[in-house]
Amino acid sequence: MSIAISFTDRAADKVRALLDRAGTACASGLRICVDTSGNCAGHRYRLTVVPAPADGDVVTRVGDFEVFVPADATDQFDGMRIDYTESLMSSGFTFYNPNTRSSCLCGPSFVPPVQPDGVETSLLQKANVAIQYIRPHLQLVGRDASVVGVADGVVSVRLTGAGLEHEAEMIALVRTVEQQLREAVPDISRVVPAAVSR
């Protein structure tokens, strides 16, 4: 059994730093699992540095380190992309998971899929999940974006914020949102503005 999990360069660097800090005697990899004991969106990702995989874990190699995932969670995590963000307010790992129904802006909390049997999540759902991780960065500069709809791989977004009455500013914001959405959801072909307001 295999599972596809990817890390941005920032996230991979953070994992390596955590493994180095733990030392080779205490850490051989990163274990990703789900805590179902509550949290704001129902479930929460848990990342721990461990000396070895637990019985039944699926082991996958990501660059120069190993990731361990419980066998019963592979459908939930397959295709997930992990980033690491830092801001004045908080820092931590963030998760782009196409298999969730929705995610919380807190980062690691999420609502699991209605059907955990590998049924493909719609592109609209994937775009809605991915944009939640883009919005906090836009809000830091007084702007925001939300998904209005998806048709034939083209995502329509509503843009708000100062300066967007200038076409160049609006085009630059659309390109930024498009780049980040396509990075998180490769099935997206293009992003277009559905509406722009101040």
Side-chain angles (χ1 to χ4, degrees), residues 41-136:
H43 289 58
R44 187 179 183 88
Y45 300 110
R46 291 286 184 198
L47 276 64
T48 52
V49 172
V50 294
D55 288 343
D57 277 359
V58 173
V59 180
T60 186
R61 189 152 195 89
V62 179
D64 56 353
F65 59 87
E66 290 185 327
V67 176
F68 313 136
V69 176
D72 60 1
T74 55
D75 285 343
Q76 293 187 56
F77 292 163
D78 196 28
M80 184 164 69
R81 191 162 189 274
I82 300 174
D83 193 8
Y84 187 84
T85 58
E86 293 181 324
S87 70
L88 293 174
M89 299 296 292
S90 63
S91 62
F93 289 99
T94 54
F95 306 84
Y96 301 87
N97 191 340
N99 305 304
T100 59
R101 277 186 286 161
S102 64
S103 299
C104 179
L105 290 178
C106 72
S109 188
F110 69 99
V111 179
V114 178
Q115 298 171 297
D117 56 359
V119 174
E120 184 179 357
T121 307
S122 75
L123 190 57
L124 177 61
Q125 288 174 299
K126 293 178 183 179
N128 272 317
V129 169
I131 206 162
Q132 297 308 315
Y133 298 99
I134 300 170
R135 294 182 63 211

Side-chain angles (χ1 to χ4, degrees), residues 8 10 21 28 51 72 78 90 92 123 126 130 133-134 144 155 157 168 198:
T8 64
R10 287 174 301 195
R21 188 181 309 155
S28 70
D72 60 1
D78 196 28
S90 63
L123 190 57
K126 293 178 183 179
Y133 298 99
I134 300 170
D144 205 351
V155 177
V157 294
R198 298 183 65 183

